[in-house]
Amino acid sequence: MRIGLLGTGNVARALAQGWRAAGHDVLLGSRAPKERTDLGLPVADLSGTTAHAEVLVNATPGNVSVELLRSIGPSDLSGKVLIDVGVGLTDDYTALSHPDNSLAEQIQRAFPLTPVVKTLCTMDSTAMTAPDSLEGPSTVFLSGDDPAAKQLTGRLLTDLGWPPSSQLDIGGITTARGQEHFALLFMGIAGGLGSHTFNIKVVPRAAG
């Protein structure tokens, strides 16, 4: 598939490399593409990346994502699945910039013709693209209102190394709040472990 990743930071680059290794056509989108020619990955402007892509990934800072997407325009985004992996944090990284809802909900409200799926925001970029590097299986969550968009996202997650048994659909786009608000616990766990590369696993009650 043609995957356009909006952003050129660590997360966008890691996901692009992971999907490219799986055989997908990836393109990074930047507001200043001429300044990002040293990444070892193809880069275009935001509009060019959007036009090229069958699937878009929002990997921009969550406190600027909606504004950035509006600069592209609703018509260019219409009908494209948008996988949102962003989390909005305050400048000092101590609180969420959207404490009463989620970035994914804000994007979905702003672009009702663009099915949004929230995923991969409960871990760092290393775990996103190398789940087998962790000590055992863990869980990746999916939130969204469009079943077909979630199925497509699930297939792309499998291409990154997440088997269906590790994928948990937790419901509509409002459940993205739980995924994003985990960022506060994530920072505490990272401090306790002394590492940002970890993930969580949902362990259900034993049968019987």
Side-chain angles (χ1 to χ4, degrees):
M1 297 195 73
R2 298 189 307 277
I3 304 174
L5 299 105
L6 304 177
T8 57
N10 291 338
V11 169
R13 297 198 305 272
L15 290 173
Q17 289 165 349
W19 277 317
R20 184 166 70 169
H24 295 286
D25 175 356
V26 299
L27 182 62
L28 297 176
S30 171
R31 285 178 285 194
K34 293 181 179 179
E35 299 174 9
R36 306 297 286 165
T37 59
D38 58 339
L39 303 179
L41 291 161
V43 184
D45 62 22
L46 298 175
S47 294
T49 299
T50 301
H52 176 78
E54 297 171 275
V55 177
L56 288 169
V57 179
N58 174 49
T60 63
N63 54 356
V64 301
S65 295
V66 174
E67 177 186 353
L68 182 144
L69 290 167
R70 283 194 174 118
S71 74
I72 298 171
S75 61
D76 290 343
L77 298 172
S78 179
K80 294 180 185 284
V81 172
L82 190 146
I83 300 172
D84 175 36
V85 301
V87 176
L89 295 169
T90 55
D91 291 341
D92 60 4
Y93 294 96
T94 61
L96 296 166
S97 59
H98 42 267
D100 298 323
N101 51 31
S102 68
L103 170 62
E105 290 174 274
Q106 292 176 2
I107 295 172
Q108 189 63 90
R109 282 196 300 268
F111 305 96
L113 300 180
T114 301
V116 177
V117 180
K118 189 78 187 189
T119 192
L120 289 172
C121 70
T122 55
M123 64 197 80
D124 77 346
S125 59
T126 301
M128 287 178 187
T129 57
D132 289 346
S133 69
L134 304 177
E135 290 187 357
S138 58
T139 304
V140 61
F141 304 99
L142 297 97
S143 302
D145 294 333
D146 188 300
K150 283 196 280 192
Q151 289 175 2
L152 172 59
T153 301
R155 293 196 296 272
L156 292 175
L157 290 173
T158 300
D159 289 341
L160 292 176
W162 295 95
S165 59
S166 291
Q167 301 176 26
L168 184 58
D169 182 344
I170 58 174
I173 199 66
T174 58
T175 66
R177 298 179 192 186
Q179 291 198 56
E180 295 183 26
H181 289 208
F182 178 75
L184 302 178
L185 181 56
F186 178 94
M187 290 185 283
I189 294 172
L193 288 177
S195 171
H196 288 86
T197 302
F198 63 90
N199 194 28
I200 57 173
K201 180 180 180 180
V202 173
V203 182
R205 183 176 181 178

